Amino acid sequence: MKRTTKTLRQAKGKSQIVCITAYDAVTARLADAADVDVILVGDSVGNVVLGFESTVPVTMDMMAHHTAAVARTRPNALIAADIPFGVAHGEFSDLLKFCMRLMQECGAEAVKIEGGAEMAPTIARLTAAGVPVWAHIGLQGQCVFQEGGYRKFGKTEQEYAEILAAAKAHEAAGAFALLVEMMVPELAAEITRSVSIPAIGIGAGKDCDGQIIVMHDILGLSPKKPSFAKVYADLSAQAVTAISAYRDDVREKR
Ligand code: KIV
């Protein structure tokens, strides 16, 4: 069954929405064969497969290239694409043009935008233009240089209140879902209870409407994975064993 923003909204409150990243046709086919609900073409493509240290160097062209590869597989999962660093803070017309490119030329069905309450007016303009927006709050990978690293959010009363307010502002702005990353589980749970749109967690406890994970982290394909990501398979080890067997066959002239 094809997943849409409507099927996600209908799944609110059931804690069953399954989301995962994919960056190309190979990983998109794997995700869809496993019947996930959402494939995110995350800007984590930068550090997970393109060899960058963070998501910051990821460009619009890179996102377009990877989103199109995922969409060519025509998955049942909803295809969401990340808006990369800086773009949502520039001219609105440039942002809208890029969303149009992602949706019209690359096959994205939604976009994901990092940002606190300050991003709500932009989200309202995009949703008014017909762009489905998934709002990303809590830890925002694109702020890694500003933050000086990665950490858990919502530990102080002020930060807790700001993130909760951002969740409500994004809902009011028309976001179809929230992504709540790396925050104290009580905050993720309160956000989930407080908004009528699905809240999808990562490193935010179990009391969300669903979870998202970076595929390469759970398949043992990431050199650095966050502590909350459970490894379900060690594909790196299996691949090295297979490639070594091939190497031996070649060298032994088999
Ligand atoms: O880009 C990404 O992979 C993300 C994760 C939080 C899922 O945004």
Side-chain angles (χ1 to χ4, degrees), residues 20-21 23 40-45 47-48 55 82 112 114 134 136 139 141 179 181 202 212-214:
I20 198 161
T21 58
Y23 313 115
L40 170 67
V41 189
D43 58 359
S44 52
V45 67
N47 45 301
V48 174
T55 61
D82 249 328
K112 178 167 79 59
E114 292 184 8
W134 189 4
H136 182 157
L139 185 146
L179 191 153
E181 180 168 6
I202 177 164
I212 184 160
I213 201 76
V214 170

